[in-house]
Amino acid sequence: MPSAEPNERAPHAGTGASYAAAGVDIEAGDRAVELMKEWVKKTKRPEVLGGLGGFAGLFDASALKRYERPLLASATDGVGTKVDLARKMGVYDTIGHDLVGMVVDDLVVCGAEPLFMTDYICVGKVHPERVAAIVKGIAEGCVLAGCALVGGETAEHPGLLGPDDFDVAGAGTGVVEYDQLLGADRIREGDAVIAMASSGLHSNGYSLVRHVVFDRAGMSLDQHVEEFGRTLGEELLEPTKIYSLDCLALTRTTEVHGFSHITGGGLANNLARVIPDHLHATVDRSTWTPGAVFDLVGRAGNVERLELEKTLNMGVGMMAIVPEASADVALQTLADRGVDAWVAGEIVGRGDHRDGAELTGDYAK
């Protein structure tokens, strides 16, 4: 909050209170909107009407007439405590990728094409260039996801957040044809489980990671880590990979029975969410080697493997479940799109298995 002269604080001085004196800078907010306009414009789809400045974003729903029975899908999410690392490093133009990835890749799990997103940015004090950088990252993420950024809100909360503190959240809407809806009812025994590599930690488990690397290991963000070939901060801030267009490409080139977005709760728990009660997914750890950051967290915090696996993605950000006969085409499609993917497991009968999915074997060295 700006400092006040004594006569500004004195009730008898005759000077009224103001929003600015309370810590909210409307002019700074307006400046932030002007700076972000060029980035939001880059996300525009043909169905989007108008631009920034209205009270609501507009999307022409007549575009859905080509669907026989369109289903709208919605999702909302945030980035969690990863925002604290962005703040400490002074890097604000990547955290938006994380936000978009968390939202649109939940949408695509049911086969939905992401159409548009809105965002909410809460700050202790509006720094226009900083807010614009955050929106730039969100806009770039939307371009990677093929969706529009149709609106958002920047809220200034002095007294509740420090001047440099911020948080982000977003909501997205997608559409899928009813008879193309993906889900547990499509999964069949004998299906192949295809893993798609993550870019790193993505946006989950940072409360554990921060506790381990800072509190227990005493590391610093600017510390160079040989296994990473860069600083710890650069590794931890690596943006979430966005898979939505890759997954949609799979649905166009081959038969797909389901997807699973690997976020909080880890690989087995998220995969189990799309497996029907009478089936079970087995994933062989020996088919891949988790990145160095997962090993560092495990070693530095003496974290048991099960705890790591139920908290972090362990190198897999998305999984596709396809008929065994479709696996080669699926892998080629992903390879053509630059996605590192492999057959990691299969769908089997439930038998004596109590859970919907499990990891077996040991990770490749």
Side-chain angles (χ1 to χ4, degrees):
M1 179 183 296
S3 60
E5 296 298 327
N7 68 332
E8 292 180 308
R9 296 197 302 265
H12 61 271
T15 303
S18 69
Y19 215 6
V24 177
D25 190 337
I26 295 176
E27 287 75 18
D30 292 341
R31 168 68 175 157
V33 171
E34 287 301 315
L35 291 174
M36 68 178 71
K37 279 185 176 179
E38 65 171 298
W39 300 107
V40 175
K41 186 177 180 180
K42 295 177 186 296
T43 76
K44 192 168 184 177
R45 290 174 49 129
E47 306 94 337
V48 175
L49 303 179
L52 287 184
F55 284 88
L58 298 174
F59 189 92
D60 187 355
S62 69
L64 305 182
K65 288 181 178 179
R66 70 179 188 271
Y67 291 84
E68 291 292 327
R69 185 180 175 184
L71 301 180
L72 292 180
S74 66
T76 185
D77 212 334
V79 179
T81 58
K82 190 173 184 177
V83 298
D84 185 56
L85 302 181
R87 178 185 64 81
K88 288 178 177 176
M89 294 182 64
V91 177
Y92 302 98
D93 61 352
T94 63
I95 206 75
H97 288 230
D98 298 285
L99 179 63
V100 175
M102 291 298 99
V103 172
V104 300
D105 288 338
D106 276 354
L107 292 175
V108 83
V109 164
C110 69
E113 174 193 357
L115 297 175
F116 57 85
M117 273 192 66
T118 57
D119 65 65
Y120 177 79
I121 303 171
C122 183
V123 299
K125 177 178 175 58
V126 171
H127 301 279
E129 289 75 16
R130 187 177 302 175
V131 172
I134 295 171
V135 174
K136 171 180 178 285
I138 297 172
E140 289 174 338
C142 285
V143 170
L144 292 174
C147 68
L149 181 60
V150 298
E153 171 75 6
T154 301
E156 193 169 22
H157 288 181
L160 296 181
L161 297 175
D164 293 326
D165 292 337
F166 74 98
D167 199 7
V168 296
T173 298
V175 63
V176 59
E177 189 70 75
Y178 175 80
D179 62 9
Q180 296 174 16
L181 181 67
L182 302 180
D185 60 309
R186 289 180 178 254
I187 310 298
R188 298 289 183 265
E189 186 171 352
D191 282 353
V193 178
I194 292 177
M196 302 179 214
S198 68
S199 57
L201 294 169
H202 285 187
S203 301
N204 301 106
Y206 275 79
S207 294
L208 171 65
V209 172
R210 289 163 56 246
H211 170 66
V212 165
V213 298
F214 302 135
D215 300 338
R216 298 195 59 156
M219 300 179 71
S220 62
L221 288 170
D222 60 359
Q223 181 175 335
H224 183 83
V225 180
E226 186 175 352
E227 301 99 294
F228 304 157
R230 55 183 175 177
T231 66
L232 174 66
E234 290 169 333
E235 177 68 26
L236 297 184
L237 212 57
E238 178 68 31
T240 299
K241 182 169 178 57
I242 298 172
Y243 302 92
S244 57
L245 293 183
D246 304 314
C247 291
L248 292 174
L250 276 187
T251 65
R252 292 191 297 268
T253 58
T254 192
E255 184 178 357
V256 177
H257 288 167
F259 292 113
S260 178
H261 187 197
I262 311 306
T263 58
L267 194 155
N269 286 342
N270 281 286
L271 185 56
R273 293 168 63 181
V274 299
I275 305 299
D277 292 341
H278 67 287
L279 295 176
H280 179 80
T282 62
V283 176
D284 185 358
R285 296 184 184 95
S286 69
T287 59
W288 83 97
T289 303
V293 67
F294 302 99
D295 182 60
L296 174 67
V297 174
R299 286 187 290 104
N302 194 27
V303 184
E304 295 183 359
R305 185 169 72 177
L306 181 61
E307 183 67 20
L308 281 177
E309 291 178 341
K310 72 179 185 181
T311 307
L312 308 178
N313 67 56
M314 300 307 291
V316 177
M318 180 71 75
M319 305 199 88
I321 302 170
V322 304
E324 183 180 16
S326 299
D328 288 343
V329 174
L331 290 175
Q332 187 60 56
T333 298
L334 293 170
D336 290 344
R337 297 183 61 82
V339 179
D340 182 15
W342 62 96
V343 175
E346 63 177 337
I347 305 298
V348 299
R350 190 67 172 235
D352 295 330
H353 299 293
R354 291 179 297 174
D355 300 320
E358 67 174 338
L359 305 182
T360 64
D362 293 317
Y363 292 112
K365 300 298 183 182

